[in-house]
Structures are given as structure tokens and as C-alpha cells.
Amino acid sequence: MSAAACVPFCPSPASSRHGAGPIVDVAGLPPATEAEEHGAGRDLLEFGVNGVIGANSDSDDAAAAEIDDEEEHSVRRPRAVVQKFMCERKAVGDGFALRRSIGRPELQSLDPFISLDEFEFSRPAGFTDHPHRGFENVTYMLEGGLSYHDFSGHKGTINTGDVQWMTAGRGVVHAEMPGGEGVQRGLNLWLNLSSKDKMVAPRYQELRSRDIPTAEKDGVSVKVIAGEALGARSPIQTRTPAMWLDVTMRPGARLRQPVPAGWSACAYVLDGEASFGQPGDEAAGAHHCVVFGNDGDGVDVRSEGAGARFLLLAARPHGEAVALDGPFVMNTSEEVQQAREDYLNRRNGFEMAAGWTSGQ
């Protein structure tokens, strides 16, 4: 199963903190060793398969401090736009179509982002039981619902405006199907894990639409799926420090959003049009991907015409080689082969796949 066709659907019970589900480690997996959970990182200063090298990462605490420091002042040096392109709609089989922004020839990856798809599907489309290892898989529903079932027994449906953040880690097997009649639309992100996190225990986090932190200021409304914006912070905990904002702007509004130095950043326009970068830059319309350079302390956006809605994504790069093959995202081809063998032999994280079927 390729990144084009796979989206995560993993439930977690509600909790009191902004309605978020707690982190749920998949029950029944053998415990990871200390080396698996906290293994040493690698400094692979080379281009990997489908990989773009970025800065080496520091600690997660340092990244959090970077965000806090950036929030204390306005953006002084907006990042420039270095790439912009239209994402065409492409049908993939019967009942499934997508618009791919990251993971296409013009932008094979944006370390640590592996792929970003705006997808739509309806019956008879569906994705039967398949594995994952080595990355975080995020689904954000725009319209309709998606039903999920994984090998640990998690099952249910996420609906319009809901988000689920799945850390595949050392192994997950699941199935996904349309959650209702008609067309279901959403966004699917593959966020790479660092070498030290590839074999962590799987976990799921969930926010219902009504519980996603939202902030409004001067004609700008931001739903904070991950990270922080306009004083609102998401409870989602990411293995790789990251930001995902769903931004809606009224005509003539402006957003100056800090982004930590060294992080990769891009925007994907859902509706309307907006100007990113320097004043006078050509506006980007619906289904355009905008990639920012690393020089600057944030992003400056101005809405045009009838306003705009776009996603702003940023994350700290790993600076490691990437070996991507179907549902596995590892650092070397040998690790990918090991993942395939582990799945086929139901071991090292795939034990619960033995004898299991979703029934889809």
C-alpha cells in the first residue's frame, strides 16, 4: 500500500484535556527494549532515497523552547517562497482520487514530511488490512467520515473536522473504509520518525473537531492541530516537533506566524487565495502548494479576494537518509527489507497480525 492510498483511522477514548484522547499504546505488543525506545540518533549527512537533508535535530525540550521564544515577538524576517505549484486531481482506482503536494516529482519530500495528500473516496473504494512502520500518519477529515479497524482491536469512525495522529513506530496493521455514503474528503500526512524513534511502541491520539484549540484575531481564525498559534496550543504530542495549522482568513486579513529557525515549512491552500512571503508576491489559489525557504523567523500571509483557507505545516528536519518502500519508511534498504520480513513472519511488532483480519 503506497502513501497515495493509505490514511490512518485509530480511535482513542475521550479525556478531560480539550476533549483529547489519551496516548494509547497498542496492547499486547512485546515491550520494547531501552535501546529501541531511546536508541542513539544518527548523523547521516547524505541524500537518502526520496530524502532531502536538513539540519540535525536537538532535543524536543529545546524545540518547545524555540516555539515559546518565537511567540514572544512578531515575525521580523518573513521567509521567502522558494517553490509554488498546482496540485492536480488524479484518480487512483475506482472511487478514490487525490491531490498530492509533498511526495510528487516537484517535491519528493520536505524533511521530515514524506507525503501530504488531499484525498476523496467513496464506495467501492477502501483499503483492506495492511502494515506500517517507521513514521507518524495523520488524518484530518474535511467532509464525511472514515471507519478504521486495527490489529489491536481499535475500531470506530472519525468524522468531519476530526483529527487522528497515529505513531506507527515498530508496527501497526489496519484497514480503512468510507465512513458513510457519498464522497468522503480529508487530508493525509506522513511525518517521518527519526532513526531513534523508528521502533517505538505504536500509539494513537485523537481530537474531535469541537475540541481542537482555536484562536481568532483581526480577521484570522486558526485551528491548532499541532503546535501553537495566536496563544492557542494543541494537546497533540508529536515524536518529531511539528506544527499543523488550519487557517481561515477574511478578505484583507494578515497573519504573521512564527516558525522556529531551521524547521521546514510549507502551506497548502484549500479555498480562496492568499499571498505568502513578500508584499507583492503573486497569490496562490486553491490546491496550490507553497514551500518556504529556511531563512527567516516566520511566515507572512495576506488574504486576497473573498478570503482564504489554507494549511500551514512546519517541522524540525531529521537530516537523515530515508528509505521509502510502500508502507515502510526507514533509514536504509536493509531496514526496509527487515520490516517486510518482520511483517510476513509476524514478529518484532507484528505479532498481533497472526490470525487477525479486519473483515473488510
Side-chain angles (χ1 to χ4, degrees), residues 5-33:
C6 182
V7 288
F9 320 106
C10 317
S12 55
S15 79
S16 59
R17 186 180 182 188
H18 302 290
I23 297 172
V24 180
D25 288 336
V26 176
L29 288 175
T33 66

Side-chain angles (χ1 to χ4, degrees), residues 297-357:
D297 60 0
V299 173
D300 192 352
V301 189
R302 296 170 174 81
S303 62
E304 306 285 342
R309 182 186 180 190
F310 62 91
L311 306 175
L312 179 61
L313 286 82
R316 193 180 66 192
H318 299 308
E320 298 177 340
V322 177
L324 170 64
D325 187 3
F328 307 118
V329 183
M330 305 302 290
N331 295 110
T332 68
S333 58
E334 291 79 9
E335 290 172 344
V336 168
Q337 181 59 36
Q338 184 64 57
R340 290 194 173 280
E341 292 177 1
D342 288 345
Y343 172 61
L344 291 174
N345 292 292
R346 306 299 195 252
R347 66 190 183 195
N348 295 336
F350 293 111
E351 288 84 352
M352 286 189 295
W356 177 82
T357 177

